[in-house]
Amino acid sequence: MQGLSSRAHAFSVEALVGKTPCKRIKAEDCKGERVAGSRADPGEQETTTAACTVIGEADELGYSRRACCPGVLGAISDAPKVELSTREELKTAEAEKCGAGGARVELQGSDLWNRFHEIGTEMIITKAGRRMFPSVRVKVRNLDPFRQYYIAMDITPVDAKRYRYVYHSSQWMVAGNTDHSCITPRLYVHPDSPCSGETWMRQIISFDRVKLTNNEMDDKGHIILQSMHKYRPRVHVIEHDPRFDLSQIQSLPAQGVRTFSFPETEFTTVTAYQNQQITKLKIDRNPFAKGFRDPGRNRGVLDGILESYPWRGPLSLDFKPFALDPQNGSCRPPSSCGALSSPSCSPQSFPLGLPCSDTCLHSMALPLCYKMAPPAGVASPRPYSVPGADRLQEPPGVRSLSDFSLLPSLRGQKEPDCRGQCFQVSPPGVSALRLQGLPPPALRHAPPPCSLYSYSLPVPPHLASVTRHLKLASGVSLTPPDGLLSQTPWHPAINHCL
Amino acid sequence: MQGLSSRAHAFSVEALVGKTPCKRIKAEDCKGERVAGSRADPGEQETTTAACTVIGEADELGYSRRACCPGVLGAISDAPKVELSTREELKTAEAEKCGAGGARVELQGSDLWNRFHEIGTEMIITKAGRRMFPSVRVKVRNLDPFRQYYIAMDITPVDAKRYRYVYHSSQWMVAGNTDHSCITPRLYVHPDSPCSGETWMRQIISFDRVKLTNNEMDDKGHIILQSMHKYRPRVHVIEHDPRFDLSQIQSLPAQGVRTFSFPETEFTTVTAYQNQQITKLKIDRNPFAKGFRDPGRNRGVLDGILESYPWRGPLSLDFKPFALDPQNGSCRPPSSCGALSSPSCSPQSFPLGLPCSDTCLHSMALPLCYKMAPPAGVASPRPYSVPGADRLQEPPGVRSLSDFSLLPSLRGQKEPDCRGQCFQVSPPGVSALRLQGLPPPALRHAPPPCSLYSYSLPVPPHLASVTRHLKLASGVSLTPPDGLLSQTPWHPAINHCL
DNA sequence: AGATTCTCACCTAGGTGGAAATGT
DNA sequence: ACATTTCCACCTAGGTGAGAATCT
């Protein structure tokens, strides 16, 4: 708890008691203003949720025709409201097919979105721009493999209300009205655009790099939102008409656009987190917030040394072959590995039995592998995160070996969007390759399931630095502590004494 | 010198004596095999060099028709040879116009390329893939603004020889023959492709993220080369025919391709640097090798403390508004600032008069500005590096205010290629914005030339860690040293005592 | 003996929430 | 009172050459 903001800590007591599902104002239908669309129907797709709004195909009215006042396009405060069902029900909702043979978009990571949604998702907005967490990731189906498409995202207001968080009751309350009508929502075109339907469908399309800002004068292309308002992202699939140059596309064309939104991606914009449960979940799941996870905070040097000690003897954890889902802050075994642990957890969460963030182990099942020297031929490639790696339940046929028959071409990676798939987990080339449909041979040729890459146990930098520079200053090599800290402490060659 | 490899140090003595221009085997003309092309003519374009080879326009023979044996396409060992002239002469060479109204490609950073070329450029290749340094960056002119183009790069053998570096004479000698004819060179398509001529021409097109590998089984899309061979990169401008889907382009189309190469970008592949002068120049200029620059290496804690002391009193250097050219490892003032220094240099290079890497100050002219609190409205945006920022002599009209009249659209940035311009210097959004042609308001509204963003003086991590964690361990705040180290040591609020 | 691979310390670059400071 | 901004420690991610180990 010490990692949470003192304000939230002081005022949001009720939020801490049990599951206390935040009494949210409302959860809306996906139905937009003048566009055809209907609420998502539950289906069998395990972890995806989609609500569909069609522009262009089912309704020839173009977005751009209404762009004079697009700010309220998504405002659906007067539309029929639907109370959110439980997480389990939402999890099985499925994207409705939009027109015969039309594109189908499935939200990836809906588990995580739903965990936030239950509490009441908040997104920080800053003047400089802040990424979303979770970010919007989708899978698209039913595209024409040979057509070119743009895929884009925007964020529309859920209503015309301003909200205020009441700490005493852990609730968001309406605090006033807002006129969004003069604000043109910015369209974020996915950097891979344009791209063939085949390529889009082969990858997870990620909007990781979208940034939100409250700076109305923003010139960096970020999505401009107002703080303390409710919004929902939308994903647009835009057929590329070769007659027009859409490379500078700034608003949706009048035709050939299919729009999708997902109720669980609704969020409230804030400049500082209001609900402490949100803070906690963000810290637990966002890899970049790892520094705020409980066990590691504010420790002294001695604590650090103790925690860094290789308690399990001369072995280091081998996580590399596991697909790390950065959106979850956790990793999963690529095949049939059993056992337990996560690089997200501090070392002492295992044998020392110290407390670990509540969410940090919940989905983890990693083996404690003994360190093995990586074979020369496969040491360098980093983990290969298969599209849908956070979806263990992905239908196996989705990515058959035949998908890998294409030769890799050197299409420059549009990174580090990683073509939407890996978010700085796999190296750029790996994802580019994936885009091209060719897996590393290590995967094509049945990789040993629990092997072989040494995971760099996060050496607390203070320890490394302290020991290293005490050494430097004194001219004396403090071999034992340095040994404790190195990734391969028993390796005779690593103590470079200066 | 202590940073250099012991082998090079031991054997390459001759290379250390004065300028000793490496007696290179040969420097070749740009003329390729069966394609029209001619050598670059010197011109008035200050720092760019280009040799041009045309495929498609002037010669309808397509690359792909000869792709059965493309490995030797670029082999020009039998072509007329031209001794390289001095750096100054090369600097003024200009890209020849390829056909009436045809594209013109200019190499950016030819200064740096030439410095390497004089010595004999080496590029490390590894199994995992290694970036090039310098990387290929070009500016394209004379495109049809309204047409779509792909821009791609490949690397072709200069000859069919294998080389060996003779340390005693600091020379590369032929060590055997090689048959490249069976190897299809991989085509790296710039990630921004396809793009309108207008957009291509507005940016510097960078191939920063290209990686070279010696792994013939590479599946990550890197360019596969053989070690100890000579190569030269080529840049291709490919007209996009909307009738064909080039999104999976793997080899050059038969028509509509213009190919350019630059003599000074020739290099020899190595797995470890052979010529110590190359090592030194790489370390001096590549920001990622900063850790190997002389002054900072292998210092004790006391040295570090001394060096970190703000000798010029309570002021911190303000570098942020200066365009940092990562390819040069140096920065330049955006306007008329005088004075001197570079973030590449350790602080003590100024008042202490300690030795500094020879190249690290040579082009620098930075003012010592007193720290000013950044105005709230402009603090967040990072420095705005204008295309051609490493070209002070860029014709001013190249980027007039009228270029900035476009509205920024939210085209997702294809980063961190930074659309070729900034290489992780400016934030992605800034470069995206730049792409869209709209500068930050701070620039539109006449920014004070020498102001205002605090540059994070590189606090030696050992010092920060030592003081921080001694504090943590003892519970005592070591205010003075911490004050010395913090970015704003005189600010009362930054000493967070834990 | 020479070429290659591997691990490392040390960088760049930038994404987190906390907490103090600052608006409003 | 509360919203916002700023700065910071602490992360992730990954690009360097050095140097030892290993391969050929």
Short mmCIF file of all heavy atoms in Angstrom, two decimals, chain B residues 440-490:
data_model
loop_
_atom_site.label_atom_id
_atom_site.label_comp_id
_atom_site.label_asym_id
_atom_site.label_seq_id
_atom_site.Cartn_x
_atom_site.Cartn_y
_atom_site.Cartn_z
N PRO B 440 6.08 22.94 -33.32
CA PRO B 440 5.53 23.33 -32.03
C PRO B 440 5.38 24.83 -31.98
O PRO B 440 6.17 25.55 -32.59
CB PRO B 440 6.61 22.88 -31.05
CG PRO B 440 7.44 21.90 -31.78
CD PRO B 440 7.33 22.25 -33.23
N PRO B 441 4.39 25.29 -31.28
CA PRO B 441 4.17 26.73 -31.20
C PRO B 441 5.38 27.44 -30.64
O PRO B 441 5.68 28.58 -31.02
CB PRO B 441 2.98 26.87 -30.23
CG PRO B 441 2.52 25.52 -29.90
CD PRO B 441 3.44 24.52 -30.52
N ALA B 442 6.08 26.77 -29.78
CA ALA B 442 7.28 27.38 -29.22
C ALA B 442 8.23 27.80 -30.33
O ALA B 442 8.96 28.77 -30.20
CB ALA B 442 7.98 26.40 -28.28
N LEU B 443 8.22 27.07 -31.42
CA LEU B 443 9.09 27.44 -32.52
C LEU B 443 8.42 28.43 -33.44
O LEU B 443 9.05 29.29 -34.03
CB LEU B 443 9.51 26.20 -33.30
CG LEU B 443 10.62 25.43 -32.62
CD1 LEU B 443 10.94 24.17 -33.39
CD2 LEU B 443 11.85 26.32 -32.52
N ARG B 444 7.13 28.24 -33.58
CA ARG B 444 6.45 29.17 -34.47
C ARG B 444 6.51 30.58 -33.92
O ARG B 444 6.47 31.55 -34.64
CB ARG B 444 4.99 28.74 -34.64
CG ARG B 444 4.79 27.79 -35.80
CD ARG B 444 3.37 27.32 -35.86
NE ARG B 444 3.00 26.57 -34.66
CZ ARG B 444 1.79 26.06 -34.47
NH1 ARG B 444 0.86 26.23 -35.38
NH2 ARG B 444 1.51 25.38 -33.41
N HIS B 445 6.57 30.68 -32.62
CA HIS B 445 6.53 32.00 -32.01
C HIS B 445 7.89 32.41 -31.49
O HIS B 445 8.04 32.85 -30.36
CB HIS B 445 5.50 32.01 -30.88
CG HIS B 445 4.13 31.68 -31.36
ND1 HIS B 445 3.42 30.60 -30.88
CD2 HIS B 445 3.36 32.23 -32.32
CE1 HIS B 445 2.24 30.54 -31.50
NE2 HIS B 445 2.19 31.51 -32.38
N ALA B 446 8.88 32.26 -32.32
CA ALA B 446 10.20 32.82 -32.05
C ALA B 446 10.73 32.46 -30.67
O ALA B 446 10.66 33.26 -29.74
CB ALA B 446 10.17 34.35 -32.20
N PRO B 447 11.24 31.27 -30.53
CA PRO B 447 11.76 30.87 -29.22
C PRO B 447 13.04 31.62 -28.92
O PRO B 447 13.80 31.93 -29.83
CB PRO B 447 12.06 29.38 -29.43
CG PRO B 447 12.35 29.26 -30.89
CD PRO B 447 11.49 30.29 -31.56
N PRO B 448 13.26 31.91 -27.67
CA PRO B 448 14.54 32.51 -27.30
C PRO B 448 15.65 31.53 -27.66
O PRO B 448 15.58 30.35 -27.32
CB PRO B 448 14.43 32.69 -25.79
CG PRO B 448 13.31 31.82 -25.35
CD PRO B 448 12.40 31.68 -26.53
N PRO B 449 16.65 31.99 -28.32
CA PRO B 449 17.62 31.08 -28.93
C PRO B 449 18.36 30.21 -27.94
O PRO B 449 18.57 29.04 -28.22
CB PRO B 449 18.58 32.03 -29.65
CG PRO B 449 18.32 33.39 -29.09
CD PRO B 449 16.90 33.37 -28.65
N CYS B 450 18.75 30.73 -26.83
CA CYS B 450 19.62 29.97 -25.95
C CYS B 450 18.89 29.41 -24.74
O CYS B 450 19.51 29.03 -23.77
CB CYS B 450 20.80 30.80 -25.50
SG CYS B 450 21.83 31.34 -26.87
N SER B 451 17.58 29.38 -24.78
CA SER B 451 16.86 29.02 -23.58
C SER B 451 16.66 27.52 -23.50
O SER B 451 17.06 26.80 -24.36
CB SER B 451 15.53 29.73 -23.60
OG SER B 451 14.85 29.36 -24.78
N LEU B 452 16.03 26.99 -22.74
CA LEU B 452 15.34 27.17 -21.48
C LEU B 452 15.12 25.85 -20.83
O LEU B 452 14.58 25.79 -19.76
CB LEU B 452 13.95 27.79 -21.65
CG LEU B 452 13.97 29.26 -22.02
CD1 LEU B 452 12.56 29.81 -22.03
CD2 LEU B 452 14.76 30.05 -21.01
N TYR B 453 15.47 24.80 -21.50
CA TYR B 453 15.19 23.51 -20.91
C TYR B 453 16.43 22.99 -20.22
O TYR B 453 17.53 23.05 -20.74
CB TYR B 453 14.74 22.51 -21.97
CG TYR B 453 13.65 23.06 -22.81
CD1 TYR B 453 13.72 23.04 -24.20
CD2 TYR B 453 12.53 23.65 -22.22
CE1 TYR B 453 12.72 23.56 -24.97
CE2 TYR B 453 11.53 24.18 -22.99
CZ TYR B 453 11.62 24.13 -24.36
OH TYR B 453 10.63 24.64 -25.12
N SER B 454 16.24 22.47 -19.07
CA SER B 454 17.37 21.97 -18.32
C SER B 454 17.86 20.67 -18.92
O SER B 454 17.11 19.71 -19.07
CB SER B 454 16.96 21.75 -16.87
OG SER B 454 17.89 20.93 -16.23
N TYR B 455 19.07 20.64 -19.29
CA TYR B 455 19.64 19.40 -19.76
C TYR B 455 20.07 18.57 -18.56
O TYR B 455 20.69 19.06 -17.64
CB TYR B 455 20.86 19.66 -20.64
CG TYR B 455 21.51 18.41 -21.11
CD1 TYR B 455 20.96 17.68 -22.16
CD2 TYR B 455 22.66 17.94 -20.51
CE1 TYR B 455 21.55 16.53 -22.60
CE2 TYR B 455 23.26 16.78 -20.95
CZ TYR B 455 22.70 16.08 -21.99
OH TYR B 455 23.30 14.93 -22.42
N SER B 456 19.70 17.34 -18.57
CA SER B 456 20.08 16.48 -17.47
C SER B 456 21.57 16.19 -17.57
O SER B 456 22.00 15.36 -18.35
CB SER B 456 19.32 15.17 -17.54
OG SER B 456 17.94 15.41 -17.46
N LEU B 457 22.32 16.92 -16.78
CA LEU B 457 23.74 16.65 -16.76
C LEU B 457 23.91 15.20 -16.42
O LEU B 457 23.38 14.73 -15.42
CB LEU B 457 24.41 17.52 -15.70
CG LEU B 457 25.32 18.62 -16.23
CD1 LEU B 457 26.16 19.17 -15.10
CD2 LEU B 457 26.21 18.07 -17.33
N PRO B 458 24.61 14.47 -17.23
CA PRO B 458 24.69 13.03 -16.97
C PRO B 458 25.32 12.75 -15.63
O PRO B 458 26.52 12.80 -15.47
CB PRO B 458 25.54 12.51 -18.13
CG PRO B 458 26.22 13.71 -18.69
CD PRO B 458 25.34 14.88 -18.41
N VAL B 459 24.49 12.49 -14.66
CA VAL B 459 24.99 12.15 -13.34
C VAL B 459 25.58 10.76 -13.42
O VAL B 459 24.90 9.81 -13.79
CB VAL B 459 23.84 12.14 -12.32
CG1 VAL B 459 24.36 11.70 -10.97
CG2 VAL B 459 23.18 13.49 -12.24
N PRO B 460 26.84 10.64 -13.12
CA PRO B 460 27.42 9.29 -13.14
C PRO B 460 26.60 8.39 -12.26
O PRO B 460 26.38 8.71 -11.09
CB PRO B 460 28.83 9.51 -12.56
CG PRO B 460 29.11 10.96 -12.75
CD PRO B 460 27.78 11.66 -12.71
N PRO B 461 26.09 7.33 -12.80
CA PRO B 461 25.15 6.50 -12.04
C PRO B 461 25.75 6.00 -10.75
O PRO B 461 25.04 5.82 -9.77
CB PRO B 461 24.82 5.36 -12.99
CG PRO B 461 25.70 5.51 -14.18
CD PRO B 461 26.33 6.86 -14.15
N HIS B 462 27.03 5.78 -10.77
CA HIS B 462 27.62 5.27 -9.53
C HIS B 462 27.48 6.27 -8.42
O HIS B 462 27.26 5.93 -7.27
CB HIS B 462 29.09 4.89 -9.74
CG HIS B 462 29.91 5.98 -10.36
ND1 HIS B 462 29.84 6.30 -11.69
CD2 HIS B 462 30.81 6.83 -9.84
CE1 HIS B 462 30.68 7.28 -11.97
NE2 HIS B 462 31.28 7.63 -10.85
N LEU B 463 27.60 7.54 -8.76
CA LEU B 463 27.50 8.55 -7.72
C LEU B 463 26.08 8.66 -7.21
O LEU B 463 25.83 8.66 -6.02
CB LEU B 463 27.96 9.90 -8.27
CG LEU B 463 29.45 9.92 -8.55
CD1 LEU B 463 29.83 11.24 -9.17
CD2 LEU B 463 30.19 9.69 -7.26
N ALA B 464 25.16 8.75 -8.14
CA ALA B 464 23.78 8.85 -7.72
C ALA B 464 23.42 7.66 -6.84
O ALA B 464 22.83 7.80 -5.78
CB ALA B 464 22.87 8.89 -8.95
N SER B 465 23.83 6.50 -7.27
CA SER B 465 23.46 5.31 -6.53
C SER B 465 24.13 5.28 -5.17
O SER B 465 23.53 4.98 -4.15
CB SER B 465 23.84 4.07 -7.33
OG SER B 465 23.17 4.10 -8.57
N VAL B 466 25.42 5.62 -5.16
CA VAL B 466 26.14 5.55 -3.89
C VAL B 466 25.51 6.48 -2.88
O VAL B 466 25.16 6.09 -1.77
CB VAL B 466 27.62 5.93 -4.10
CG1 VAL B 466 28.28 6.25 -2.77
CG2 VAL B 466 28.35 4.80 -4.79
N THR B 467 25.30 7.71 -3.27
CA THR B 467 24.76 8.65 -2.30
C THR B 467 23.34 8.27 -1.92
O THR B 467 22.97 8.29 -0.76
CB THR B 467 24.78 10.07 -2.87
OG1 THR B 467 24.10 10.06 -4.13
CG2 THR B 467 26.20 10.54 -3.08
N ARG B 468 22.57 7.89 -2.92
CA ARG B 468 21.18 7.58 -2.64
C ARG B 468 21.08 6.41 -1.66
O ARG B 468 20.33 6.44 -0.72
CB ARG B 468 20.44 7.24 -3.93
CG ARG B 468 19.00 6.88 -3.72
CD ARG B 468 18.23 6.88 -5.01
NE ARG B 468 18.63 5.82 -5.93
CZ ARG B 468 19.33 6.01 -7.04
NH1 ARG B 468 19.72 7.21 -7.36
NH2 ARG B 468 19.65 5.00 -7.80
N HIS B 469 21.88 5.43 -1.89
CA HIS B 469 21.68 4.22 -1.11
C HIS B 469 22.44 4.22 0.18
O HIS B 469 22.08 3.54 1.12
CB HIS B 469 21.99 3.01 -1.96
CG HIS B 469 20.97 2.85 -3.04
ND1 HIS B 469 21.19 3.27 -4.32
CD2 HIS B 469 19.70 2.41 -3.00
CE1 HIS B 469 20.10 3.05 -5.04
NE2 HIS B 469 19.19 2.53 -4.26
N LEU B 470 23.46 5.02 0.26
CA LEU B 470 24.03 5.25 1.58
C LEU B 470 22.97 5.94 2.43
O LEU B 470 22.77 5.61 3.58
CB LEU B 470 25.29 6.12 1.48
CG LEU B 470 26.52 5.38 0.93
CD1 LEU B 470 27.70 6.32 0.86
CD2 LEU B 470 26.83 4.18 1.83
N LYS B 471 22.30 6.89 1.81
CA LYS B 471 21.21 7.55 2.50
C LYS B 471 20.18 6.54 2.96
O LYS B 471 19.77 6.52 4.11
CB LYS B 471 20.53 8.53 1.53
CG LYS B 471 20.67 9.96 1.90
CD LYS B 471 20.17 10.89 0.81
CE LYS B 471 18.86 10.46 0.19
NZ LYS B 471 18.43 11.45 -0.82
N LEU B 472 19.78 5.70 2.04
CA LEU B 472 18.75 4.74 2.36
C LEU B 472 19.19 3.85 3.51
O LEU B 472 18.44 3.55 4.42
CB LEU B 472 18.44 3.88 1.13
CG LEU B 472 17.63 4.58 0.06
CD1 LEU B 472 17.55 3.69 -1.17
CD2 LEU B 472 16.25 4.90 0.57
N ALA B 473 20.44 3.43 3.44
CA ALA B 473 20.90 2.49 4.45
C ALA B 473 21.01 3.16 5.81
O ALA B 473 20.67 2.57 6.82
CB ALA B 473 22.26 1.92 4.04
N SER B 474 21.48 4.37 5.83
CA SER B 474 21.75 4.99 7.11
C SER B 474 20.57 5.78 7.64
O SER B 474 20.50 6.09 8.81
CB SER B 474 22.94 5.94 6.96
OG SER B 474 22.61 6.98 6.05
N GLY B 475 19.66 6.09 6.77
CA GLY B 475 18.57 6.95 7.18
C GLY B 475 19.00 8.41 7.29
O GLY B 475 18.26 9.26 7.71
N VAL B 476 20.22 8.69 6.90
CA VAL B 476 20.74 10.05 6.96
C VAL B 476 20.80 10.61 5.56
O VAL B 476 21.30 9.96 4.64
CB VAL B 476 22.15 10.06 7.59
CG1 VAL B 476 22.70 11.48 7.59
CG2 VAL B 476 22.08 9.50 9.00
N SER B 477 20.30 11.78 5.40
CA SER B 477 20.37 12.40 4.08
C SER B 477 21.70 13.09 3.88
O SER B 477 22.06 14.00 4.62
CB SER B 477 19.22 13.40 3.93
OG SER B 477 19.40 14.13 2.75
N LEU B 478 22.44 12.64 2.92
CA LEU B 478 23.73 13.26 2.63
C LEU B 478 23.50 14.45 1.71
O LEU B 478 23.79 14.43 0.54
CB LEU B 478 24.65 12.25 1.96
CG LEU B 478 24.84 10.95 2.75
CD1 LEU B 478 25.77 10.03 2.00
CD2 LEU B 478 25.39 11.26 4.12
N THR B 479 22.94 15.47 2.29
CA THR B 479 22.48 16.55 1.44
C THR B 479 23.53 17.15 0.52
O THR B 479 23.29 17.32 -0.66
CB THR B 479 21.86 17.65 2.31
OG1 THR B 479 20.93 17.04 3.19
CG2 THR B 479 21.16 18.68 1.46
N PRO B 480 24.71 17.44 1.01
CA PRO B 480 25.66 18.10 0.10
C PRO B 480 25.96 17.31 -1.18
O PRO B 480 25.74 17.84 -2.25
CB PRO B 480 26.91 18.28 0.98
CG PRO B 480 26.39 18.28 2.36
CD PRO B 480 25.22 17.34 2.36
N PRO B 481 26.39 16.08 -1.09
CA PRO B 481 26.68 15.40 -2.34
C PRO B 481 25.45 15.21 -3.19
O PRO B 481 25.51 15.33 -4.40
CB PRO B 481 27.25 14.04 -1.89
CG PRO B 481 26.88 13.90 -0.46
CD PRO B 481 26.72 15.28 0.07
N ASP B 482 24.34 14.95 -2.55
CA ASP B 482 23.12 14.79 -3.34
C ASP B 482 22.82 16.09 -4.06
O ASP B 482 22.42 16.10 -5.20
CB ASP B 482 21.97 14.40 -2.41
CG ASP B 482 20.86 13.72 -3.18
OD1 ASP B 482 21.18 12.92 -4.07
OD2 ASP B 482 19.71 14.03 -2.89
N GLY B 483 23.04 17.16 -3.34
CA GLY B 483 22.83 18.45 -3.97
C GLY B 483 23.73 18.63 -5.18
O GLY B 483 23.31 19.11 -6.22
N LEU B 484 24.93 18.20 -5.04
CA LEU B 484 25.85 18.33 -6.16
C LEU B 484 25.34 17.58 -7.37
O LEU B 484 25.58 17.97 -8.50
CB LEU B 484 27.23 17.77 -5.78
CG LEU B 484 28.03 18.54 -4.75
CD1 LEU B 484 29.40 17.91 -4.63
CD2 LEU B 484 28.13 19.99 -5.15
N LEU B 485 24.67 16.49 -7.09
CA LEU B 485 24.35 15.59 -8.18
C LEU B 485 23.02 15.87 -8.83
O LEU B 485 22.81 15.52 -9.98
CB LEU B 485 24.36 14.16 -7.67
CG LEU B 485 25.72 13.73 -7.15
CD1 LEU B 485 25.59 12.45 -6.38
CD2 LEU B 485 26.68 13.60 -8.30
N SER B 486 22.13 16.46 -8.10
CA SER B 486 20.80 16.60 -8.66
C SER B 486 20.81 17.59 -9.80
O SER B 486 21.69 18.43 -9.93
CB SER B 486 19.83 17.07 -7.58
OG SER B 486 20.16 18.37 -7.19
N GLN B 487 19.82 17.47 -10.63
CA GLN B 487 19.77 18.35 -11.78
C GLN B 487 19.58 19.80 -11.36
O GLN B 487 20.01 20.72 -12.03
CB GLN B 487 18.64 17.95 -12.71
CG GLN B 487 18.94 16.65 -13.42
CD GLN B 487 17.83 16.32 -14.38
OE1 GLN B 487 17.15 17.20 -14.86
NE2 GLN B 487 17.64 15.06 -14.66
N THR B 488 18.90 20.00 -10.28
CA THR B 488 18.66 21.35 -9.80
C THR B 488 19.09 21.41 -8.34
O THR B 488 18.26 21.44 -7.45
CB THR B 488 17.18 21.73 -9.90
OG1 THR B 488 16.42 20.71 -9.24
CG2 THR B 488 16.75 21.83 -11.33
N PRO B 489 20.37 21.44 -8.10
CA PRO B 489 20.87 21.25 -6.74
C PRO B 489 20.42 22.33 -5.77
O PRO B 489 20.41 22.10 -4.59
CB PRO B 489 22.39 21.26 -6.92
CG PRO B 489 22.65 21.79 -8.28
CD PRO B 489 21.42 21.57 -9.08
N TRP B 490 20.07 23.48 -6.28
CA TRP B 490 19.71 24.57 -5.38
C TRP B 490 18.21 24.63 -5.14
O TRP B 490 17.70 25.49 -4.49
CB TRP B 490 20.16 25.89 -5.98
CG TRP B 490 19.66 26.03 -7.38
CD1 TRP B 490 18.52 26.62 -7.77
CD2 TRP B 490 20.26 25.49 -8.54
NE1 TRP B 490 18.37 26.49 -9.11
CE2 TRP B 490 19.41 25.79 -9.61
CE3 TRP B 490 21.42 24.75 -8.79
CZ2 TRP B 490 19.70 25.40 -10.91
CZ3 TRP B 490 21.70 24.38 -10.07
CH2 TRP B 490 20.85 24.71 -11.13
#
